[in-house]
Amino acid sequence: MTICALFPGQGSQYIGMCSDLLERETEVRLIFAEASEVIGFDLRDLILAGSLEQLTQSEYAQPAVLTASYALFDSFVRRTGMNPDYAIGHSLGEITALVAAGALKFADAIRFAASRGALMHRAIQEQKGRAGIVVDMGQAELENIVANIREVHYVTISGYNSPNQFVVAGEAGGLRLLDDLVDQAGGEFIPFRMMPMKADAPYHSELMQFILPEMEAMVSKLSFSEPAFAICSTVNGEFIRAAEDIPRLLTAQLLQPIHWIQALAQIGRLGASIWMDVGPGQSVRNMIAEYDTSITAYSLDDSQDQSKLLAIYAAGIQTYRGGEAR
């Protein structure tokens, strides 16, 4: 069996995430306590009793999603001994993947995620642009629409989530025009301002250039090691080859689109047979279903999915041992 862990990004947060783990596992409580100490506010209290409005703000959402995802990963590995062969992280999720693979210390990652979130939130405060999602439209058709709009306004595809779902970012006027043209072509544009858990900002686009020097300075303070398992970066759809490559990828994230489906294809060609959504909610599991209906992903935030995953893993181990014995 070949296991690929999939770590979600901002937008997967919800009030009450990890509540069961926090109640029953001391190790998870310690993970949240460490994160809270690093960032200077009670993260556990925020996700259990706070408001979704506050939790959605990038400076809170990013450390919260990273902590919840890492807690789910750590709990599952401790209980099962299952470690992934590969990993992919969706934007912020790439930082979580680095932590899970031992390439970045958890405390450093939490500190960076909080600072990264506060820095990126300035795009909303300074009204640098907006974002949304386009569904029910193919990549080539959307790229053609975007290219035509670019002659007048800045718009771009900032995330390739599935063959028929794309994140777009740009100037407000450009997105209004995109809305009209997508509608005429039979697709649908949904502004992030209409989606409660999404930050309406032009993340992963050239409109984030204004904070690039500060992001580079933050990344330069981090120390990295070689990942214990292979991570396919969504910046370029290629594997992270060495620790010295990581800083460049983390800063490039700010301006480059998320090549999620390209990274999935890369892992798929290597024969991944088990796909795990390692984060709050089921956003990644749902994107996998849209990407390829023949692939089943299992969410660690879903107890039924966990049971199915463990049964598949146990059956596979038994088959493997039986083959060895023969």
Side-chain angles (χ1 to χ4, degrees):
M1 288 176 291
T2 304
I3 303 170
C4 181
L6 306 162
F7 295 91
Q10 184 174 342
S12 59
Q13 71 279 352
Y14 64 90
I15 295 297
M17 58 186 182
C18 286
S19 56
D20 290 345
L21 285 180
L22 281 164
E23 183 176 343
R24 70 173 185 258
E25 294 191 19
T26 300
E27 294 88 347
V28 170
R29 291 193 290 273
L30 290 173
I31 287 171
F32 274 82
E34 182 179 2
S36 298
E37 182 177 357
V38 168
I39 57 183
F41 63 85
D42 191 334
L43 188 57
R44 178 179 176 179
D45 183 65
L46 173 62
I47 68 165
L48 294 182
S51 68
L52 183 60
E53 181 180 5
Q54 182 181 9
L55 185 59
T56 297
Q57 294 175 27
S58 297
E59 61 264 49
Y60 299 105
Q62 294 196 19
V65 170
L66 193 159
T67 302
S69 300
Y70 180 62
L72 284 162
F73 177 83
D74 181 73
S75 172
F76 193 71
V77 171
R78 276 188 287 101
R79 289 187 293 114
T80 67
M82 290 175 64
N83 264 301
D85 301 282
Y86 303 108
I88 307 173
H90 196 281
S91 185
L92 169 73
E94 197 156 299
I95 302 169
T96 317
L98 291 169
V99 175
L104 179 61
K105 292 180 180 178
F106 175 66
D108 291 343
I110 286 295
R111 188 176 295 107
F112 174 60
S115 299
R116 178 182 186 266
L119 191 61
M120 292 172 71
H121 186 65
R122 282 173 45 193
I124 297 176
Q125 296 170 320
E126 300 182 25
Q127 300 181 343
K128 293 294 182 179
R130 312 203 77 159
I133 195 164
V134 172
V135 296
D136 301 328
M137 174 171 283
Q139 179 177 329
E141 190 172 13
L142 179 58
E143 286 176 340
N144 185 56
I145 288 173
V146 167
N148 290 333
I149 296 173
R150 285 282 283 266
E151 296 179 6
V152 183
H153 297 283
Y154 177 79
V155 292
T156 190
I157 298 175
S158 57
Y160 295 81
N161 286 349
S162 84
N164 296 292
Q165 183 194 115
F166 307 91
V167 182
V168 290
E171 299 167 351
L175 291 182
R176 284 193 295 269
L177 183 54
L178 181 138
D179 188 3
D180 292 339
L181 294 176
V182 165
D183 183 63
Q184 291 172 25
E188 183 180 7
F189 170 70
I190 307 170
F192 273 1
R193 68 177 182 274
M194 298 175 64
M195 302 176 73
M197 293 189 293
K198 298 293 186 180
D200 187 15
Y203 298 159
H204 309 290
S205 80
E206 293 173 20
L207 295 178
M208 301 300 294
Q209 182 79 39
F210 75 108
I211 59 170
L212 181 60
E214 292 171 82
M215 183 67 76
E216 290 174 332
M218 286 164 44
V219 171
S220 71
K221 297 176 183 177
L222 298 172
S223 297
F224 301 98
S225 304
E226 185 175 344
F229 47 79
I231 300 173
C232 189
S233 174
T234 55
V235 172
N236 54 16
E238 300 293 334
F239 285 104
I240 296 173
R241 301 296 179 188
E244 54 264 29
D245 296 334
I246 299 173
R248 173 181 53 82
L249 292 169
L250 289 183
T251 54
Q253 266 194 351
L254 192 65
L255 310 180
Q256 298 297 319
I258 302 167
H259 292 99
W260 179 253
I261 57 177
Q262 292 86 342
L264 292 176
Q266 179 82 287
I267 301 296
R269 285 191 290 270
L270 296 172
S273 55
I274 295 180
W275 302 77
M276 299 192 307
D277 177 350
V278 189
Q282 288 83 41
S283 60
V284 167
R285 184 185 68 181
N286 296 340
M287 282 194 290
I288 291 290
E290 290 189 24
Y291 168 71
D292 187 340
T293 55
S294 69
I295 296 175
T296 300
Y298 300 90
S299 169
L300 296 192
D301 199 24
D302 182 306
S303 58
Q304 291 185 342
D305 270 15
Q306 279 204 32
S307 297
K308 292 175 185 176
L309 181 59
L310 289 172
I312 292 169
Y313 183 69
I317 291 296
Q318 187 62 38
T319 300
Y320 172 71
R321 288 175 177 166
E324 271 192 324
R326 289 194 298 271

